[in-house]
Every structure is written in C-alpha cells, then in structure tokens.
Amino acid sequence: MSFEERLADLQNRINASNRIVFFGGAGVSTESGIPDFRSKDGLYNQHDVRFDQYSPEYLLSHSCLRDHPEVFYEFSRQKLDGRGILPNVTHLKLAELEQAGKLLAVITQNIDGLHQKAGSKKVFEVHGTMLRNYCESCGKEYPEDYIFETSDPIPRCTCGGKVRPDVTLYEESLPEKAWRGAIEALSKADMLIVGGTSLTVYPASNLVREYTGENMVLINRDQTAYDHYADLIFHEGLGEVFSKIVVS
C-alpha cells in the first residue's frame, strides 16, 4: 500500500478504537532533539574524552553509580539533562488522543518525561524517569533539578546518602508498579501502536507479546524482528505519521 493508503487505514483503526495503547522507545523523542542510543549519531556513539575509557552500558549501570559515582553524575549532567527539551508532535498527539478518550495508556522506555510535559496522564515509565530523584539511603525524594544544579560532584541528601535519578540502570530490575500497569493496560487494549523502538531492549521489548489482539500498528524507520506480528507497518518517521492523524 502507498503511504496515503496506510495513513487512511491507520485513521480508520483509530476511529474504531477506544482503548488504544501506545508503546514507544527512543525514536519518539529524537524529533525533540534527544539522541537515541544505538544509531550512528546516538548516545552510545558520541565520543567524549571524559568518558571514552568506559563502555556506554557501564556509564548507565548500577556498578558505575556505586564504584565511580563522579563519572556517573558527570555523564548524567552532560548527556541526560532534558530540562529544556519540548515535546514534539507525537507526544502532543498522544496526549490529545488520551484527552479525547481514545488512548488508554502510554508505555514508554524513555526517561525524559516528555509525555507528561505534553499532557499525558496515564504513562507507564518502564525504565524510570529523570524527572524524579531520591536518596539511596533514606528514600527522601528530590526534584528534577537537584542533581543538575548542586555544586557537589556527588549530590547528597540531608542524611548524607547519595541522591540518584529514579531511572532503571543496567543490572537493576524494572520498576514493578510500572511493569504491572503496562501489562494490565495491554490486556485491555483494542489497539496497540508501537513506535520509535527497535524492540531489541530486553525485557521491555517482551511487553509487546502481552498484546494478543489483531490490531497492531508498528511505526519505526528500520525493520524490527516484530514486523511480521504487525497488521500495519510504517517505516516513515513518527512525526510524519502522527502529524496526519485527526482526533475527533
């Protein structure tokens, strides 16, 4: 089918659905200027003499936070500060679909909080978020700005413990509440839209298998191992597709 024919098909599916779930990855936010991880221009391929001696996975690991906290926080401050980033058309359209009673939930692998900034209320962040920080020792919560604006190389709580972002690092388990919520939403969905993800990051990619319906749409520039599961496929950009969706 042509792009226009697939767009018409997508619009018809959205019009007929009232319990849509969107599952998204890094590609949702690249059009806002946030790099993904694995592409040629992604975070894992950005050379920086301060961090080149470490693997990207290590810099985002619990081991790095524990053993080289100065490196972990410097990397976070330089590479993960999304406070000035604005939502793009995909984030905004998803929020509009939720407000219209069409979208049941957003499941995101992203940690940037852009879905909430766009107005989405039901968001399951299966890799956590940079919008929240907490003390490893006492659990006291701190605002988004804390680790970026403190003058200390290692941000500390009033109790003396390290204050860390509420994100899921390598070697850590996914947040149970978000995971359960995502599975529950998928069990109720009458349509699943997967966007901006290669579906290679385990175990989050396995969530797609929790959807057993027949109305699955996949939007990703590159092919994925799940293409054959989809009923409708777009290998165009998310913004190119979502900008054409009409919410009624």
Side-chain angles (χ1 to χ4, degrees):
M1 288 191 292
S2 69
F3 180 53
E4 289 72 20
E5 289 171 327
R6 283 178 287 130
L7 279 174
D9 189 354
L10 175 62
Q11 186 68 61
N12 289 335
R13 291 171 187 268
I14 290 173
N15 292 345
S17 302
N18 292 295
R19 297 188 308 279
I20 302 169
V21 170
F22 178 83
F23 177 87
V28 178
S29 295
T30 52
E31 292 179 24
S32 289
I34 296 179
D36 62 12
F37 288 88
R38 293 170 175 80
S39 71
K40 63 181 178 64
D41 298 316
L43 198 61
Y44 285 4
N45 292 308
Q46 293 180 1
H47 297 294
D48 189 316
V49 293
R50 292 169 295 181
F51 311 119
D52 281 351
Q53 63 181 299
Y54 306 102
S55 72
E57 290 83 1
Y58 181 76
L59 290 164
L60 292 169
S61 72
H62 180 80
S63 293
C64 185
L65 174 62
R66 180 191 64 212
D67 300 333
H68 297 96
E70 297 92 345
V71 174
F72 174 86
Y73 286 108
E74 181 64 16
F75 182 80
S76 297
R77 292 179 179 115
Q78 295 299 322
K79 305 296 185 180
L80 301 179
D81 184 0
R83 289 174 297 166
I85 304 296
L86 297 176
N88 60 54
V89 64
T90 301
H91 299 106
L92 296 170
K93 192 69 72 170
L94 288 167
E96 190 178 349
L97 284 166
E98 182 185 44
Q99 292 159 10
K102 305 287 288 181
L103 185 78
L104 187 63
V106 169
I107 303 168
T108 181
Q109 300 175 82
N110 296 337
I111 61 175
D112 51 47
L114 289 180
H115 286 292
Q116 291 91 331
K117 290 180 181 179
S120 290
K121 305 298 183 185
K122 197 68 169 291
V123 182
F124 297 108
E125 297 167 305
V126 295
H127 289 158
T129 178
M130 290 295 291
L131 297 184
R132 297 188 301 270
N133 299 284
Y134 68 92
C135 173
E136 284 189 318
S137 299
C138 71
K140 181 179 178 180
E141 294 186 0
Y142 285 82
E144 175 188 9
D145 292 337
Y146 190 76
I147 67 169
F148 297 113
E149 296 187 352
T150 180
S151 58
D152 297 327
I154 302 174
R156 295 288 180 180
C157 175
T158 52
C159 77
K162 290 199 301 284
V163 176
R164 57 161 290 176
D166 191 9
V167 298
T168 304
L169 303 174
Y170 285 102
E171 306 161 350
E172 295 181 336
S173 300
L174 298 187
E176 185 178 350
K177 183 177 180 181
W179 186 264
R180 289 200 313 268
I183 291 176
E184 182 180 1
L186 288 166
S187 72
K188 297 177 180 178
D190 62 5
M191 181 178 183
L192 173 63
I193 303 176
V194 180
T197 173
S198 60
L199 295 171
T200 58
V201 178
Y202 176 85
S205 60
N206 281 358
L207 278 171
V208 173
R209 297 186 180 184
E210 297 290 335
Y211 178 69
T212 58
E214 297 181 352
N215 198 9
M216 176 177 166
V217 178
L218 200 155
I219 309 170
N220 196 59
R221 287 194 179 276
D222 301 317
Q223 291 185 342
T224 77
Y226 285 77
D227 280 16
H228 64 284
Y229 289 109
D231 301 289
L232 182 61
I233 298 174
F234 292 86
H235 288 309
E236 289 82 11
L238 275 163
E240 189 177 358
V241 175
F242 270 84
S243 64
K244 303 295 194 300
I245 293 173
V246 176
V247 180
S248 57

